[in-house]
Amino acid sequence: MEKMFCFQCQETAKGTGCTKAGVCGKQASTAAMMDMLLFATRGIAVVATSLRQHNMQVPTEVAHFVDDALFTTITNANFDEDVIRRKVTAAFEMRDQLLVTAFTAHIGVPAVDETCWFGRPESYQSKALDYSPMRTVDPEIRSLKELITYGLKGMAAYLEHARNLGYSDGALDAFIQRALSDITVKMLYLDELVALVFETGQHGVEAMALLDKANTFTYGRPEVTEVNLGVGTRPGILVTGHDLRDLEMLLEQTQDKGVDIYTHGEMLPAHYYPFLKKYPHLVGNYGGAWWKQREEFSAFHGPILFTTNCLVPPVDGAPYREKMFTTNSAGFPGCRHIAADGDGWKDFSPIIEMAKQCQPPAELERGTIVGGFAHDQVAKLSDKIAEAVKKGHIRKFVVMAGCDGRMHSREYYTEFAYKLPKDCIILTAGCAKYRYNKLHLGEIDGIPRVLDAGQCNDSYSWVLTAFALRDLFKVADVNELPIVYNIAWYEQKAVIVLLALLSLGIKNIHVGPTLPAFISPKLAILLKRKLGLEGITVVDDDLRLAA
Ligand code: FSO
Ligand code: SF4
C-alpha cells in the first residue's frame, strides 16, 4: 500500500515515484507533513491573491513565509518533521488571519473543497495521499500543475537567498502566490496551464536576475579565481548549501579565532566574489558534489553548516552526526538549527567553539580549480571569444549546467565532457560541474574549455551570454547560435532554470539523466514536438549535438 507519493526529483523510486519512503531519506510521515504544508500554503496564496485583486495590502511576512514553506519542501532541504509540523500550524494561522481581513473587508474568497477554509484536517497525517500530487486525477493536468509548483519552489529558493541580502521584489512575490492560487481554485484548461508554465519561467529569469543583483551588489562581481582544493593545518568549519550571507557572517565571526573556513559543493563559487575572497581564512573548497558528503564530511573532522539543500541524512554513528548545524529552510532531526534574529543576524559561536576542539581536515586532494566566469567576466572575454570563433578555433558552446546526483548513469556527463571535440567549450553552473571540472580539459586560445559561472542560479549568466553572442554574431534568434544545451537535473531549482530557458525561446534542450517522472508521457511528446526538449541517450550518439 502506498504510504506517500512524491516524484519531484530525478532520483525518485523506480523513475516513477516514492511511495513507501523517499530515496532521499524522507520518511512517509514527513512527506505527508510536507504535503500538508503545501496545502496550507496554497490556502494562504488563495486569500492573499484575493486581497491583492481588491487592492488590499498583503503583509510582507506572507511572501517570506510562502517562500520558506516552498523551500522547506524542496528535495533534500528539511527532514525535521516536528519543525515542518510547526510550520503547518503557523501556515493555518496565517491563512485564517488573512481570511479574517478578507471577510472584514467584505472580500469574497474562492472556495473549493481543497481549500478547507473553516477547518483543518483532523490529523495532519490522516489523509496523506489526499494532499499529495495524486490529488489531481488527470495525468496531464497533474503534470502541468506539479511542473509549475516545482518551478515555484526553485524560484522561492532564489528569492529567499536574495531576501537574506536585503533584496526582494513584490511583483515576484505576488506572482508566486497568484500562480499557487490559480492552480488551486481555477479550472484551468491545458493551454492555460501551459501558458502559466511559461509565465513561471519568465518570472524565473527575473528571480535569477534579482539574486544575481543581490550577490554582485553585495559581494562584487565574480572574478576568475583559482580555488585551493587542499587543506591547511588549523581546524576548519565546512559550509555547504547555497547561502552567501551565512558564509559572510561566519567569516566575520571567525576572524582571528584560529579556525579556517572551507566551502563544499555549491558553495564553491563563493570564492569568486571579491568581498568574500578577501578573508584569508576562507582557505579552499573541500570535496565534490552534495552526494559525496557522507564520505567527505567524515574526513573533514570539523563542524558542518548546512545553509540549504542538498542534505544527505547521515548514517547512524556517522562521526560528523553531532557536528551538523542547519540554518534557513534546512533542517534535520536532532541537528542544531541556527536561526536569525530580527535583524537577520546569526550567532555562529556554538559552531566556532566546537571547531576549536576538532582536528584539522584530512586532505582529500591537492591543487586548484578555476572558476568565476559569470557574465561580467565573459563579457570581458567577448573579443577573444569572437576572434576564436571567427578563426574556427571554437566551434560550439555546450551548456552543461544543472545538478549532480548519485546515479551511476551520471557518469555519462563525465564521458560526454571528455569526448567532446576539442573545439567545444563547456558552459557550466550548479553542482553538475563536479562531473568534469577536474578533468583538465585544456584551453582554446587561452580560454579554458570549462567555464564555470557559479551556482545553479548563475545559469542566468549563460542566458546573458547567449543574448550577448546573438548581438555579437548578429543573428535574430538565439537558436541560430552555435550553442547547444545538455542539462543535468536533480531537484526543483533545476526545474526553474529549465523553465527559464524554455520561456526565453531556447529550443532542443537535452535533459538527463532521465526525464522528470512528473512529466506525463503525453506531455513529454508535446514538449518534444513543440520545443525539441528530449532526454539524453548514450554519449556517442548524443555527441552529434556538438557536430
Ligand atoms: Fe546542486 Fe543540490 Fe544548486 Fe540543487 S547542491 S542539486 S539544483 O540543491 O541547487 O546545484
Ligand atoms: Fe523521492 Fe525525490 Fe521526493 Fe525524495 S524528493 S521522496 S527521492 S521523489
Side-chain angles (χ1 to χ4, degrees):
M1 181 180 140
E2 290 189 358
K3 294 184 184 162
M4 60 177 279
F5 189 84
C6 181
F7 60 173
Q8 67 177 352
C9 83
Q10 189 273 325
E11 293 187 359
T12 195
K14 298 181 186 150
T16 52
C18 296
T19 57
K20 294 187 172 66
V23 171
C24 58
K26 184 162 78 180
Q27 298 300 312
S29 55
T30 313
M33 199 58 70
M34 285 190 181
D35 290 339
M36 193 56 64
L37 180 57
L38 288 174
F39 162 72
T41 302
R42 288 193 295 272
I44 293 172
V46 171
V47 196
T49 302
S50 297
L51 289 173
R52 278 198 192 89
Q53 283 163 350
H54 290 84
N55 299 318
M56 297 274 293
Q57 287 285 328
V58 174
T60 47
E61 60 262 30
V62 169
H64 195 165
F65 187 92
V66 168
D67 290 351
D68 174 66
L70 291 169
F71 201 168
T72 298
T73 65
I74 272 186
T75 300
N76 273 347
N78 200 315
F79 295 85
D80 196 330
E81 198 174 315
D82 289 339
V83 167
I84 299 165
R85 183 180 292 105
R86 287 199 287 276
K87 292 189 188 205
V88 173
T89 304
F92 282 126
E93 281 169 12
M94 181 174 274
R95 181 202 67 180
D96 292 350
Q97 270 174 17
L98 291 171
L99 270 175
V100 170
T101 308
F103 291 158
T104 311
H106 304 289
I107 289 171
V109 175
V112 292
D113 288 349
E114 209 201 313
T115 47
C116 179
W117 290 129
F118 297 105
R120 296 158 199 209
E122 272 173 27
S123 149
Y124 294 162
Q125 300 288 350
S126 62
K127 291 186 169 180
L129 289 179
D130 291 354
Y131 299 98
S132 82
M134 296 313 262
R135 70 190 185 281
T136 311
V137 178
D138 181 275
E140 276 62 59
I141 304 270
R142 183 195 309 139
S143 230
L144 289 162
K145 281 189 174 183
E146 294 306 311
L147 183 55
I148 292 162
T149 303
Y150 304 149
L152 295 176
K153 287 188 185 192
M155 200 190 300
Y158 294 156
L159 293 181
E160 185 166 309
H161 292 305
R163 190 176 283 116
N164 287 348
L165 293 172
Y167 289 75
S168 58
D169 179 334
L172 287 175
D173 297 337
F175 170 73
I176 288 186
Q177 291 159 40
R178 198 250 296 160
L180 282 174
S181 173
D182 283 359
I183 60 172
T184 305
V185 294
K186 282 195 177 172
M187 290 292 293
L188 295 172
Y189 289 106
L190 274 180
D191 58 336
E192 292 170 312
L193 279 166
V194 170
L196 191 52
V197 167
F198 279 92
E199 202 182 345
T200 305
Q202 282 158 17
H203 291 300
V205 179
E206 291 159 14
M208 286 193 274
L210 182 70
L211 182 51
D212 181 77
K213 184 174 160 192
N215 286 339
T216 52
F217 278 37
T218 313
Y219 301 119
R221 294 173 182 178
E223 295 169 350
V224 176
T225 306
E226 266 193 48
V227 181
N228 171 35
L229 299 175
V231 294
T233 53
R234 306 196 305 175
I237 298 172
L238 191 55
V239 186
T240 190
H242 299 74
D243 199 274
L244 298 180
R245 175 74 181 123
D246 288 323
L247 178 67
E248 182 199 357
M249 285 189 273
L250 187 60
L251 286 165
E252 275 286 303
Q253 292 174 38
T254 43
Q255 291 195 86
D256 306 318
K257 292 279 184 352
V259 166
D260 287 332
I261 306 297
Y262 294 81
T263 55
H264 184 265
E266 271 280 70
M267 291 301 289
L268 159 67
H271 296 270
Y272 311 154
Y273 288 92
F275 190 84
L276 296 173
K277 71 185 201 183
K278 72 176 187 190
Y279 291 94
H281 61 301
L282 177 63
V283 298
N285 190 66
Y286 192 78
W290 64 271
W291 59 276
K292 290 193 168 170
Q293 56 187 256
R294 282 183 176 159
E295 177 192 333
E296 293 173 352
F297 290 0
S298 299
F300 186 72
H301 301 151
I304 298 132
L305 174 64
F306 289 82
T307 64
T308 65
N309 59 334
C310 285
L311 189 161
V312 179
V315 293
D316 286 345
Y320 63 90
R321 174 71 186 79
E322 302 303 319
K323 298 177 190 161
M324 288 170 62
F325 292 80
T326 59
T327 187
N328 300 315
S329 303
F332 191 78
C335 269
R336 274 163 288 183
H337 188 84
I338 311 252
D341 68 14
D343 298 322
W345 178 254
K346 293 176 187 173
D347 176 6
F348 289 123
S349 51
I351 308 183
I352 299 165
E353 290 314 308
M354 180 184 279
K356 288 179 185 168
Q357 312 303 319
C358 295
Q359 294 295 313
E363 183 182 86
L364 295 177
E365 56 193 325
R366 286 183 185 181
T368 57
I369 40 172
V370 178
F373 295 91
H375 51 89
D376 185 56
Q377 292 294 329
V378 177
K380 285 184 186 148
L381 282 175
S382 64
D383 287 347
K384 220 171 170 180
I385 291 173
E387 193 60 24
V389 173
K390 271 187 211 139
K391 286 182 183 162
H393 296 178
I394 296 178
R395 198 173 42 80
K396 278 255 156 89
F397 297 91
V398 186
V399 177
M400 289 181 72
C403 322
D404 198 5
R406 284 171 275 227
M407 283 185 169
H408 288 308
S409 54
R410 287 186 188 260
E411 282 160 15
Y412 164 100
Y413 293 103
T414 309
E415 191 188 341
F416 187 89
Y418 191 72
K419 286 187 171 172
L420 262 182
K422 302 285 175 274
D423 53 4
C424 293
I425 296 258
I426 294 172
L427 308 178
T428 193
C431 58
K433 61 176 150 277
Y434 284 104
R435 288 281 166 178
Y436 41 79
N437 66 347
K438 296 172 186 171
L439 290 181
H440 305 293
L441 293 177
E443 299 183 343
I444 302 174
D445 298 350
I447 304 160
R449 286 192 57 228
V450 178
L451 299 182
D452 174 26
Q455 297 181 330
C456 40
N457 46 289
D458 294 311
S459 301
Y460 175 67
S461 274
W462 300 130
V463 168
L464 293 187
T465 300
F467 285 104
L469 289 176
R470 183 190 61 184
D471 299 341
L472 194 69
F473 295 118
K474 299 191 175 33
V475 295
D477 181 349
V478 278
N479 292 298
E480 292 171 37
L481 289 167
I483 306 182
V484 292
Y485 296 81
N486 194 0
I487 308 281
W489 83 286
Y490 169 58
E491 46 89 358
Q492 299 79 55
K493 285 181 236 169
V495 175
I496 193 61
V497 172
L498 179 65
L499 296 187
L501 295 176
L502 293 178
S503 78
L504 292 167
I506 292 167
K507 296 215 164 72
N508 303 319
I509 299 174
H510 284 59
V511 175
T514 52
L515 283 179
F518 55 82
I519 301 281
S520 71
K522 279 188 193 158
L523 185 62
I525 292 170
L526 184 81
L527 289 170
K528 186 171 176 183
R529 255 192 226 146
K530 297 266 183 208
L531 305 169
L533 181 89
E534 58 184 314
I536 58 168
T537 61
V538 292
V539 171
D540 289 334
D541 288 351
D542 288 353
L543 282 168
R544 75 184 189 286
L545 259 176

